[in-house]
Amino acid sequence: MAEHTWPGTTLVAAAQRGDVEALSALVYGSYPHVHRFAHTLCATPQDAEDAAQEALIILYRKIGMLRASGALASWMFRIVRNECLRRARSLLHRGPVDAPDGLGASGRSDAIGGTARSAEEDVLLRLEAERVAAAVAALPADQRQVLVMRDIQGLPGRTVADRLGLSTAAMKSRLHRARSAVREALHEEADREAVTRGADDGI
């Protein structure tokens, strides 16, 4: 069924070329699968949620590192697995979890909790992907170009500088401005939403 199908190679290839809309669709389409991986592999529901979000961030920023467009599922599985393992090691230092039977227990409880929240999470993820895409699209052309080549296509810094006819220092400066602009745009929107929610709560 459609909900069990990973995004196709055409969408992956478009995202790797820096198509912002394709990248947003790729993250959105991968979310259910990444979410399922995390809740199967991680020791606790919170770790699963954090691991899934981290994996999607890596997908967004490092899609250019994927060598074969048809290997998206296996790549994301490895990322989620490694993140869950890292969090499990940290968990051992924090002490025992409430559920003694580890993965099995979390798998059952997560399925219940995850189902209850899945619709809301799905909407939030789509909104977040759209916000990031909009913030990138709003950048000046020169900043957007360097951000796409470096963070989305995953090209080495020297390669980006050479292709744009810039010094490495100038490329880094432009990339820094682009990243800062995206972060600021997202923070400003989050602040506006917080103010709106606060006003609504005060009514």
Side-chain angles (χ1 to χ4, degrees):
M1 296 182 182
E3 63 267 27
H4 299 303
T5 302
W6 281 86
T9 57
T10 301
L11 186 63
V12 173
Q16 289 181 311
R17 290 194 300 270
D19 185 318
V20 176
E21 290 185 1
L23 184 59
S24 176
L26 179 65
V27 172
Y28 175 72
S30 299
Y31 171 72
H33 311 283
V34 170
H35 191 263
R36 185 179 68 253
F37 282 163
H39 279 276
T40 300
L41 297 171
C42 284
T44 70
Q46 185 58 53
D47 280 352
E49 294 296 333
D50 292 344
Q53 290 302 318
E54 182 65 23
L56 291 169
I57 290 172
I58 292 174
L59 171 62
Y60 185 88
R61 294 198 60 191
K62 303 295 184 181
I63 184 60
M65 296 178 63
L66 181 62
R67 299 302 180 189
S69 59
L72 177 63
S74 58
W75 184 49
M76 294 309 297
F77 180 86
R78 288 195 301 273
I79 291 173
V80 172
R81 180 194 60 194
N82 291 340
E83 187 65 21
C84 287
L85 286 174
R86 186 183 70 78
R87 292 175 182 278
R89 294 189 191 104
S90 176
L91 189 66
L92 290 176
H93 294 296
R94 296 200 302 267
V97 296
D98 293 337
D101 54 343
L103 291 177
S106 67
R108 289 192 297 271
S109 63
D110 293 349
I112 297 172
T115 300
R117 297 191 304 270
S118 62
E120 179 181 358
E121 289 171 350
D122 194 49
V123 171
L124 290 176
L125 180 71
R126 170 171 277 183
L127 288 173
E128 185 63 23
E130 290 175 350
R131 286 168 182 160
V132 174
V136 173
L139 290 171
D142 58 341
Q143 293 183 21
R144 184 171 63 251
Q145 188 176 33
V146 71
L147 182 72
V148 167
M149 293 176 70
R150 187 71 181 91
D151 286 350
I152 297 177
Q153 295 179 344
L155 296 176
R158 183 173 293 277
T159 300
V160 174
D162 289 344
R163 291 188 181 181
L164 296 178
L166 300 171
S167 66
T168 300
M171 183 280 298
K172 289 182 177 179
S173 176
R174 188 176 295 183
L175 178 62
H176 174 72
R177 291 197 302 272
R179 288 171 172 170
S180 297
V182 170
R183 283 195 300 268
E184 184 177 352
L186 295 175
H187 288 162
E188 286 179 354
E189 183 167 354
D191 289 343
R192 285 195 298 271
E193 290 182 353
V195 170
T196 301
R197 286 196 300 270
D200 291 341
D201 292 340
I203 295 176

